[in-house]
Amino acid sequence: AHGSDATLAYHGNNRAAFSLDLAAAGAAVAEEEVTDPTDPSVEVEEDSVNVPDAIQDPSGGQDCTVNFCDNELTTGFLQKYRINVPDGQDPETCDGCTIDMELIYDGEAWVSIGFSLNGRMIGSEAVIGIPGSTTLKYNLNGYTDNLVQPMPQEQQTLTDASTVFQNGQTIMKFTKIMKEPGEVEILFGDNDFLWAHGSAPALTYHASRSAFVLNLSSGAAQEVTAPNKGLWLAHGVILFLAWGVFVPFAVQASLLRKLLPEGGIWFQIHRGLNTISLALFIAGFAISVATTNKEEQPHFSNPHRRMGLAMFIMAILQVIGGIVRPHNPLEGEKKKPVRVGWEVGHRVLGVSLLACGFWQMYEGILLYGVKYSTDESDEEAITIAYWVWISVMIAVMVLGGAFFKFRN
């Protein structure tokens, strides 16, 4: 059989079975009939033809314990590695095995290779190199810079480690022990790896990143895509509609009530929009909890999730407060202290919820980008569009509210 290009995929009709007598020189080749898997009348075993298109063999069949094997992480970013097996050890179970690794990036920036148990950043470990600085092992405890911290000195066991910028390329080299106590073990077979690089020689938010599975013995690599993309996208869209559209409009209906017809129309709009936003909030919150449970991840384990829980409780209290609010005094009567206190509390809690919502939505864009390795330019465009919209909403509320306040 043969394929149509250099990637291991389904052979189509380019295959046959034959018998050959090796002892008889020039013996004729006798073809045997081969069933056509495209014929609907023929039952073909699925496993015999279903070869994943995404699997590649970057090593070109080399022995990765003798020569360096290559794996192109992305355009302009190459990984090279070689496994060092001590004499008398079995590569499958050996103690004392090390791996030589090189990362070569076209440009000047920090570069990183991460070691993971599940293909996710949080809870993983990485070797990060910055040109002109010490190449170190790091714990990846979160998405922000302050949560990416070097391991303690006793765990800095890399040898021959360096990161330099030369001839237009950033080159990081190191040798790492494959099995170290308390760290993610690097296996001779399949491993969950992460790669990332920045846009400058300073450790800041990455310019590009991805997760992949690499079999160190065969060199077969496959990019990993995180699951449940549609569910998390629905979560984000629903909550943007709640906190980025309906809640700001509800607040504007209250602040700009002088522009609306008299008779309490503003209150009907305010209450209606807030009711819609609460329903959307409950739906988005439920999607988050269900999807987190589906992924077998701990609930409320990062600031975004904890803030979401706090906002959910605050929103319920805000709605209950609106339902049991003290009545407004009749015309000519003075507001009772309980009414004044309720109005202050209602406004403070409302503004706090809105501010938290704006932060939550921005944080959600970043988390989604990291989880699904979205294109950096797309993420930047969405972020800019988001802040333009939020800025307009804030301007209408602040300037409009101030105008009518001072005019009165």
Side-chain angles (χ1 to χ4, degrees), residues 3 43 78 82 88 105 150 164 188 205 214 219 224 227 234 238 253 262 269 272 307 309 347 394:
E43 183 176 349
L78 178 67
R82 180 179 62 196
Y105 171 70
V164 298
F188 195 69
Y205 188 63
L214 174 64
V224 176
I238 288 172
E262 296 182 358
I269 296 174
M307 178 65 79
L309 176 61
R347 290 167 183 166
I394 293 174

Side-chain angles (χ1 to χ4, degrees), residues 30-230:
E31 291 194 1
E32 297 177 354
E33 181 179 359
V34 180
T35 56
D36 184 355
T38 62
D39 185 349
S41 65
V42 178
E43 183 176 349
V44 181
E45 292 186 15
E46 185 69 19
D47 289 343
S48 65
V49 297
N50 186 20
V51 180
D53 291 341
I55 294 180
Q56 302 173 359
D57 184 8
S59 70
Q62 298 183 56
D63 183 350
C64 300
T65 63
V66 177
N67 302 304
F68 272 90
C69 295
D70 296 349
N71 178 35
E72 186 177 31
L73 301 173
T74 187
T75 302
F77 198 15
L78 178 67
Q79 176 193 29
K80 300 167 69 73
Y81 67 91
R82 180 179 62 196
I83 300 173
N84 306 306
V85 182
D87 293 338
Q89 290 286 345
D90 177 5
E92 298 292 339
T93 57
C94 78
D95 292 322
C97 286
T98 62
I99 184 169
D100 299 330
M101 196 169 293
E102 296 182 17
L103 294 183
I104 304 172
Y105 171 70
D106 292 343
E108 186 177 13
W110 65 264
V111 295
S112 172
I113 187 74
F115 316 104
S116 175
L117 293 175
N118 53 20
R120 298 183 176 92
M121 176 183 173
I122 296 179
S124 299
E125 301 154 3
V127 175
I128 301 177
I130 305 171
S133 299
T134 305
T135 302
L136 297 173
K137 293 158 62 177
Y138 285 74
N139 287 315
L140 307 181
N141 298 317
Y143 298 119
T144 56
D145 297 345
N146 64 308
L147 295 177
V148 178
Q149 293 293 325
M151 292 184 181
Q153 187 59 41
E154 59 270 18
Q155 290 182 264
Q156 298 295 342
T157 55
L158 300 178
T159 56
D160 299 322
S162 65
T163 305
V164 298
F165 177 68
Q166 60 185 32
N167 300 324
Q169 293 180 316
T170 299
I171 303 174
M172 178 173 72
K173 299 180 181 181
F174 63 87
T175 299
K176 185 184 185 303
I177 302 170
M178 295 176 65
K179 185 187 297 185
E180 300 189 73
E183 298 183 21
V184 176
E185 181 180 355
I186 301 175
L187 304 173
F188 195 69
D190 288 339
N191 294 269
D192 287 299
F193 286 130
L194 313 167
W195 64 260
H197 66 78
S199 56
L203 188 56
T204 55
Y205 188 63
H206 42 59
S208 187
R209 74 285 187 210
S210 187
F212 66 101
V213 174
L214 174 64
N215 188 301
L216 293 179
S217 61
S218 68
Q222 184 174 9
E223 187 173 354
V224 176
T225 301
N228 305 314
K229 187 175 183 178

